[in-house]
Amino acid sequence: IPGGIKVRISAATAKVKVNTTVRLSATTEPAGQVVTWTTSDKDKATVVDGLVTGVAVGTATITAAVGEQKATCEVTVDAA
């Protein structure tokens, strides 16, 4: 997207165990954009500023968004 904002996430997939965390990071072009992190299923995994916590066995899609631009990571939560 010429002149547009781009966002990339550090991994396309990640694994985490219940009650543990994994750190994801997002890069933006131009640099320094504010990234909003969301989870598709807070009953499986939560995310705060890229820190994903496994809640229950299953999968969740973590999204890093800057405006309309989004990048996603499929997170698999395994038993502790």
Side-chain angles (χ1 to χ4, degrees), residues 43-75:
D43 293 330
K44 302 296 183 206
T46 60
V47 61
V48 177
D49 293 331
L51 187 65
V52 180
T53 302
V55 175
V57 173
T59 60
T61 302
I62 303 300
T63 302
V66 177
E68 295 297 311
Q69 299 302 312
K70 294 180 170 76
T72 60
C73 175
E74 290 295 321
V75 174

Side-chain angles (χ1 to χ4, degrees), residues 25-56:
S25 61
T27 54
T28 62
E29 292 177 24
Q33 301 296 310
V34 175
V35 175
T36 302
W37 293 90
T38 56
T39 179
S40 65
D41 189 345
K42 66 183 189 300
D43 293 330
K44 302 296 183 206
T46 60
V47 61
V48 177
D49 293 331
L51 187 65
V52 180
T53 302
V55 175

Side-chain angles (χ1 to χ4, degrees), residues 13-17 22 74-78:
T13 61
K15 290 189 181 223
V16 65
K17 292 188 187 301
V22 63
E74 290 295 321
V75 174
T76 301
V77 183
D78 293 321

